[in-house]
Amino acid sequence: QVQLVESGGGLVQPGGSLRLSCVVSGGIFPIFDLGWYRQAAGKRRDLVARITSGGATAYADSVKGRFTISRDNAKKTVYLQMNSLKSEDTAVYYCNSPVGFWSWGQGTQVTVSS
């Protein structure tokens, strides 16, 4: 059974940066396609970045050019580097497969505010 543990969130000023991590236990990590989602208060959960097992990446228009998804197969970890953060990036961030196949982790809160 795959388990997901996100970390790295926090409070940051507009224009700042954060790096999120998600450790994936269970399963065969190197063959997984992975994604980062976010859910702002009162809104649906949206996929913002994804990475294939081969390292190909794709991003939502709202984060393109500012966020970078990467993975470390040896550490069974997927990362989300977030730069030039905006107030509208405030949300709880989750990792999962790009179709949300596994049980969700607790997420990590990102708050962008001055």
Side-chain angles (χ1 to χ4, degrees), residues 3-104:
Q3 292 185 317
L4 309 166
V5 179
E6 301 93 347
S7 63
L11 173 64
V12 63
Q13 293 186 341
S17 299
L18 282 174
R19 188 195 195 201
L20 307 183
S21 300
C22 174
V23 177
V24 182
S25 60
I28 305 174
F29 183 90
I31 69 170
F32 293 156
D33 293 345
L34 297 160
W36 278 99
Y37 298 74
R38 68 184 181 188
Q39 186 170 23
K43 296 188 176 180
R44 69 179 186 186
R45 186 176 296 166
D46 289 326
L47 180 66
V48 296
R50 57 185 175 182
I51 185 167
T52 69
S53 58
T57 59
Y59 300 91
D61 288 344
S62 58
V63 306
K64 198 173 295 182
R66 300 187 298 121
F67 289 11
T68 303
I69 188 171
S70 61
R71 63 191 296 158
D72 185 330
N73 288 345
K75 295 182 178 180
K76 299 184 178 182
T77 301
V78 59
Y79 302 98
L80 187 67
Q81 177 67 44
M82 306 186 296
N83 299 328
S84 302
L85 283 161
K86 306 175 181 180
S87 58
E88 52 262 45
D89 296 318
T90 295
V92 180
Y93 284 72
Y94 304 86
C95 66
N96 208 309
S97 76
V99 295
F101 183 76
W102 302 309
S103 295
W104 295 92

